[in-house]
Amino acid sequence: MSEQNVILRTEHVSKYFGALKATDDVNLSIYEGEVHAVIGPNGGGKSTLLRVILGLLEPQEGTVRLLGRSPRESVQRVGYVPQETGRNREFPVSVEDVVLMGRFSGTAARWTPTAEDRRVAEESMERLGILDLRRKRVGELSQGQRQRVAIARALAVRPALMLLDEPTASVDVQTQAALYEILRELNRTLTIVMVSHDLTAIASCATSVACVNRRLFYHDRAELTGEMVQAAYGSCPVELIAHGIPHRVLHRHENGGEKEGEDHA
Ligand code: ADP
Ligand code: MG
């Protein structure tokens, strides 16, 4: 694919926390129109990588180009759905307030939403199917509804790229399926990068996959081998790879008859 279609590129990005190297020499290219899934074990540096991409953390080494510019210059055009921590659930704000926050650039000393801001927020809630919840306090919502609110807020940014950090963690299977359906719909107008553990669901919408465990084990849309996934997951068993994973991920299992995939075919 040509250079101009690269929407996000990291080059030799390393991020340390003291002696801990959370992200090690990561080179990643994401192309316009992709649904890119980042998989890997807990503590593997996936959230750190997203935060470096967004310019929320400065890497000690390497560079990030986001929409052709520095993260700082581009972050306003990126929607971010952070990993749900379960904190601040009781914060007394309505669904509409949260979604409107997506319209706030963060630079104004005082900010009052314009009619256009309200319209964009409403459109975002509509697309996520939460317009009828607009007056509810976010604390009253289910986990799945809260994820929709978080995605609607990111969408209200009018992003060219959306980064989602484990958007389907701790929601039931039906809600997961609904969220992936929403992501597929959003992908008609924007590029998506998401961290996920849900390999089965990734199969239904990812166009490319990267395995991240501190370092990046990545094949740009080519086959990912069982060994690469195994390496990325470290001690995690490859049984994590469930039935229905994209062909490229199971390629070696299917053709090589390696033992990891067989129980799950
Ligand atoms: P993942 O999202 O893949 O689970 P994280 O990026 O959250 O992994 O964390 C990677 C490693 O970096 C972990 O060992 C974590 O404890 C550490 N880490 C993450 N953020 C910080 C921070 N702000 N300060 C110190 N250590 C951190
Ligand atoms: Mg994380």
Side-chain angles (χ1 to χ4, degrees):
M1 207 170 275
S2 74
E3 281 294 298
Q4 72 203 46
N5 291 328
V6 174
I7 204 161
L8 161 64
R9 173 165 286 162
T10 73
E11 284 183 299
H12 303 294
V13 163
S14 294
K15 175 66 193 172
Y16 308 81
F17 296 110
L20 175 81
K21 210 168 195 177
T23 304
D24 184 5
D25 194 30
V26 169
N27 297 299
L28 179 67
S29 296
I30 309 288
Y31 299 92
E32 200 175 341
E34 285 201 274
V35 176
H36 181 87
V38 177
I39 64 175
N42 277 331
K46 303 179 301 297
S47 297
T48 300
L49 180 60
L50 290 197
R51 290 162 69 207
V52 167
I53 287 168
L54 288 156
L56 300 173
L57 291 173
E58 270 304 315
Q60 278 85 358
E61 291 158 26
T63 54
V64 177
R65 295 294 281 174
L66 187 59
L67 308 173
R69 293 162 181 261
S70 71
R72 227 171 266 272
E73 290 169 298
S74 291
V75 73
Q76 313 282 23
R77 293 177 54 218
V78 178
Y80 175 41
V81 179
Q83 191 166 1
E84 164 83 52
T85 59
R87 273 178 278 161
N88 293 333
R89 225 168 250 181
E90 302 313 316
F91 203 65
V93 289
S94 70
V95 166
E96 183 166 31
D97 290 338
V98 171
V99 177
L100 269 171
M101 276 166 52
R103 301 301 305 158
F104 176 53
S105 71
T107 51
R110 281 169 57 94
W111 181 69
T112 314
T114 63
E116 167 73 359
D117 290 327
R118 292 193 178 281
R119 196 186 60 71
V120 173
E122 193 168 310
E123 192 183 287
S124 302
M125 288 185 282
E126 179 99 63
R127 262 175 103 177
L128 271 295
I130 53 170
L131 197 54
D132 56 331
L133 301 176
R134 64 197 294 174
R135 308 263 177 253
K136 286 243 185 196
R137 279 170 52 158
V138 287
E140 298 173 63
L141 305 180
S142 70
Q143 181 79 26
Q145 287 170 329
R146 269 201 303 278
Q147 282 297 17
R148 284 171 193 255
V149 174
I151 297 170
R153 190 203 62 80
L155 190 61
V157 169
R158 284 269 168 98
L161 170 68
M162 196 182 283
L163 303 181
L164 305 102
D165 199 345
E166 300 199 26
T168 61
S170 56
V171 298
D172 60 52
V173 172
Q174 267 179 322
T175 307
Q176 279 184 1
L179 287 172
Y180 281 107
E181 186 54 44
I182 286 165
L183 294 184
R184 263 197 300 274
E185 197 271 321
L186 295 181
N187 179 238
R188 291 193 292 156
T189 54
L190 51 89
T191 307
I192 292 174
V193 176
M194 63 170 173
V195 174
S196 181
H197 286 295
D198 181 6
L199 302 190
T200 306
I202 288 168
S204 69
C205 58
T207 58
S208 62
V209 179
C211 300
V212 173
N213 188 6
R214 209 163 51 84
R215 295 200 298 115
L216 181 73
F217 301 81
Y218 179 64
H219 251 202
D220 187 13
R221 279 185 281 197
E223 280 106 24
L224 272 174
T225 66
E227 286 82 1
M228 291 169 73
V229 177
Q230 182 95 67
Y233 270 89
S235 58
C236 288
V238 178
E239 277 90 315
L240 276 168
I241 298 170
H243 181 67
I245 196 66
H247 176 77
R248 60 186 171 276
V249 175
L250 278 188
H251 184 76
R252 288 291 295 273
H253 301 259
E254 287 164 354
N255 293 315
E258 283 154 289
K259 62 181 187 317
E260 307 97 84
E262 283 180 348
D263 294 341
H264 302 272

